[in-house]
Amino acid sequence: MASDCEPALNQAEGRNPTLERYLGALREAKNDSEQFAALLLVTKAVKAGDIDAKTRRRIFDAVGFTFPNRLLTTKEAPDGCPDHVLRALGVALLACFCSDPELAAHPQVLNKIPILSTFLTARGDPDDAARRSMIDDTYQCLTAVAGTPRGPRHLIAGGTVSALCQAYLGHGYGFDQALALLVGLLAAAETQCWKEAEPDLLAVLRGLSEDFQKAEDASKFELCQLLPLFLPPTTVPPECYRDL
C-alpha cells in the first residue's frame, strides 16, 4: 500500500504519478492476469510521454526480462486477445529498455535478435495499429543494438541483414527504416554483411538499380548516394550494370 508521503516524494523527484501508480500495481500483482493488466498500463504510460534514464531504470527494475520474454514467445493468449498484441507489448517494453545503451547490449536483449528479426517480415494486416507499433518498436530495438560496440556483429549473426533486405524489398510498413538500418550495418561491417547475406543484398542492389533507371525526379540523386553502399565486393550482376 502506498504511504501518505509518496505523492509528495514523487512530485519532489519529478516522477510521473500515473506511471508510479501503474508500477505499484505491477509490483503488487498476484498472478499473470494482474501483471498483464499492469504491464498494459505501464506500456501506455511509457508511450504517452518522454521517459528519462532514471525512470527507465525503475521500469526495468519493476519488470525485468522474464515477463517480456514470455510475451514474445507465448502461444496461449487470453480469450479475445490476438497473439501479436502480446508480442507487441513485449517488444514495446524491450524498446523502452533499449533506450539505455547498457541494456541494449544486455545478453537478454541480444538473444532476442533472431525473433525480433522475424517480426520485420511477418505477415498480417498492414493497417493494424498494434502490428505497426510492434514494427516501429522492433526497429527501435535493433537500431539501439546496432549503436553498441559489438551490436552490428550480433545483428549480422542473428539474421537481421537478410530480414532487413526482405522487409525493404517487400515495401511494407517501415521499409524505409529497414533501408536506413541496412546502410548503417554496411558502413559498420560491410564484409561480414556480404558474407552472411549476399543473395539478399544483391536483390536489394537490383531493386535500387531498377528504381534508379526509372526515376525522373530528385530521388535519382538520393539513389546516387545509396547505390555505392550496396556494391558487392565481388562482381556486380549484369542486369544492374544495364539499369545503371
Side-chain angles (χ1 to χ4, degrees):
M1 180 179 297
S3 66
D4 293 338
C5 65
E6 279 193 7
L9 177 63
N10 290 339
Q11 184 175 6
E13 295 187 359
R15 295 179 180 178
N16 181 328
T18 302
L19 178 59
E20 295 306 315
R21 187 166 64 252
Y22 296 160
L23 288 175
L26 180 60
R27 284 189 291 266
E28 296 172 10
K30 297 180 178 61
N31 53 51
D32 280 357
S33 296
E34 291 182 4
Q35 194 170 25
F36 176 65
L39 279 172
L40 282 174
L41 294 172
V42 169
T43 306
K44 182 178 180 181
V46 167
K47 287 184 174 294
D50 294 329
I51 301 296
D52 59 28
K54 185 181 293 186
T55 302
R56 188 164 50 245
R57 270 291 178 167
R58 294 185 65 251
I59 294 173
F60 173 72
D61 291 339
V63 177
F65 282 115
T66 302
F67 209 72
N69 290 350
R70 290 174 59 189
L71 290 171
L72 290 174
T73 58
T74 185
K75 299 185 184 299
E76 298 181 1
D79 291 341
C81 179
D83 291 347
H84 72 269
V85 172
L86 297 183
R87 291 193 290 270
L89 175 58
V91 178
L93 290 169
L94 283 184
C96 173
F97 299 160
C98 284
S99 299
D100 182 327
E102 185 177 339
L103 291 179
H106 194 285
Q108 285 285 352
V109 171
L110 299 179
N111 67 19
K112 304 298 181 302
I113 290 174
I115 191 171
L116 289 173
S117 297
T118 65
F119 295 160
L120 300 180
T121 56
R123 294 182 178 181
D125 182 358
D127 297 322
D128 185 281
R131 286 189 181 279
R132 286 177 172 248
S133 178
M134 183 173 70
I135 290 172
D136 285 332
D137 288 334
T138 298
Y139 280 117
Q140 183 176 333
C141 291
L142 297 176
T143 300
V145 171
T148 63
R150 297 181 61 84
R153 291 187 180 184
H154 288 291
L155 292 174
I156 294 166
T160 301
V161 175
S162 290
L164 290 170
C165 290
Q166 293 166 30
Y168 174 73
L169 292 170
H171 276 66
Y173 179 76
F175 78 96
D176 53 334
Q177 298 180 73
L179 184 62
L181 187 49
L182 265 178
V183 168
L185 290 176
L186 283 168
E190 179 184 19
T191 301
Q192 292 92 329
C193 286
W194 280 100
K195 182 178 179 180
E196 290 293 327
E198 181 171 342
D200 295 298
L201 286 169
L202 286 176
V204 172
L205 175 61
R206 283 192 289 269
L208 292 173
S209 301
E210 291 173 6
D211 291 343
F212 180 79
Q213 191 270 332
K214 296 174 183 176
E216 297 181 353
D217 54 16
S219 66
K220 207 174 191 77
F221 296 97
E222 297 173 2
L223 289 166
C224 276
Q225 294 179 313
L226 279 175
L227 280 164
L229 302 175
F230 286 88
L231 293 178
T234 54
T235 306
V236 176
E239 62 268 28
C240 295
Y241 273 131
R242 183 177 61 251
D243 289 331
L244 295 176

